Amino acid sequence: PAALEARSRKGWLPVHHACKHGCSLATLRLLLTDATARARTPGGYAPLHLLARHQAGDAAKLRLALELHPGGVRQRTADGLLPLHLLAAHSPGAAAALSMVLTAFPGAAVLPSAAGEVPLQLLPAGADVAWGTRQLLEAATLQQQAVRERAVRRLAPPQPPSRPPPPSPRIPPPRRPRCPWSHFVPAA
């Protein structure tokens, strides 16, 4: 119990190291408690974030972390990343994990990271993602784009077409003498 909450020099708990470097499901069950499931590293990573980034292929471990701390799917790291961002960027082939996190927090599909990227944009090109998961991510991204466009239109309504500038008043040419040769006429 006390050893479970002893932080390393980096500020990490044993559960953080286990989630990053790997451990058995039985070991993770011993390390993950209500308190340690919510504990964060100095970089803002909870065990769920570390599992999403480093061990997403093991859906049982991710499920255990989600059961102990379901709100973890809504928490961001210091870099502004949600677990779904980490899954999309580092473990796009983990379809079960992607589906599990999307089911726990569907709104994460449209939330941008601190860099402004939604999870769909973090998927590597040609990533082997389940068809349904990709459809959900794409639909959410399109929905978010539509929401942004509506907000921009509401905030900055279109300006009426500008009229051409009024014509400048015509300036008459300078006056000329009546007879241009009058100065050649000899005086009488």
Side-chain angles (χ1 to χ4, degrees), residues 173-187:
R175 291 199 127 181
R176 294 187 185 155
R178 285 176 107 51
C179 178
W181 297 284
S182 61
H183 61 282
F184 293 114
V185 177

Side-chain angles (χ1 to χ4, degrees), residues 1 7 25 46 52 61 70 80 87 113 149 157:
R7 293 199 177 258
L25 181 60
K61 292 178 185 177
L87 280 169
S113 66
E149 288 171 6

Side-chain angles (χ1 to χ4, degrees), residues 37-113:
R38 288 171 171 70
R40 302 179 113 191
T41 66
Y45 285 77
L48 180 61
H49 292 95
L50 293 167
L51 287 170
R53 181 171 183 164
H54 300 287
Q55 296 189 48
D58 195 339
K61 292 178 185 177
L62 213 69
R63 187 176 302 109
L64 177 64
L66 274 171
E67 287 170 0
L68 287 172
H69 184 39
V73 293
R74 290 178 165 77
Q75 291 181 334
R76 293 180 181 270
T77 64
D79 300 329
L81 300 171
L82 293 166
L84 186 59
H85 292 118
L86 295 166
L87 280 169
H90 300 285
S91 305
L98 280 167
S99 176
M100 196 180 323
V101 171
L102 273 171
T103 302
F105 183 34
V110 296
L111 293 176
S113 66

Side-chain angles (χ1 to χ4, degrees), residues 100-173:
M100 196 180 323
V101 171
L102 273 171
T103 302
F105 183 34
V110 296
L111 293 176
S113 66
E117 298 170 315
V118 294
L120 180 66
Q121 294 169 315
L122 296 171
L123 286 173
D128 184 27
V129 178
W131 179 85
T133 302
R134 183 175 290 279
Q135 293 302 314
L136 179 59
L137 288 171
E138 287 176 358
T141 303
L142 290 173
Q143 177 189 11
Q144 181 65 17
Q145 288 172 348
V147 167
R148 282 187 191 147
E149 288 171 6
R150 282 194 303 268
V152 167
R153 274 188 255 132
R154 246 181 283 156
L155 293 174
Q159 299 296 322
S162 61
R163 296 183 198 166
S168 60
R170 183 159 156 78
I171 300 174

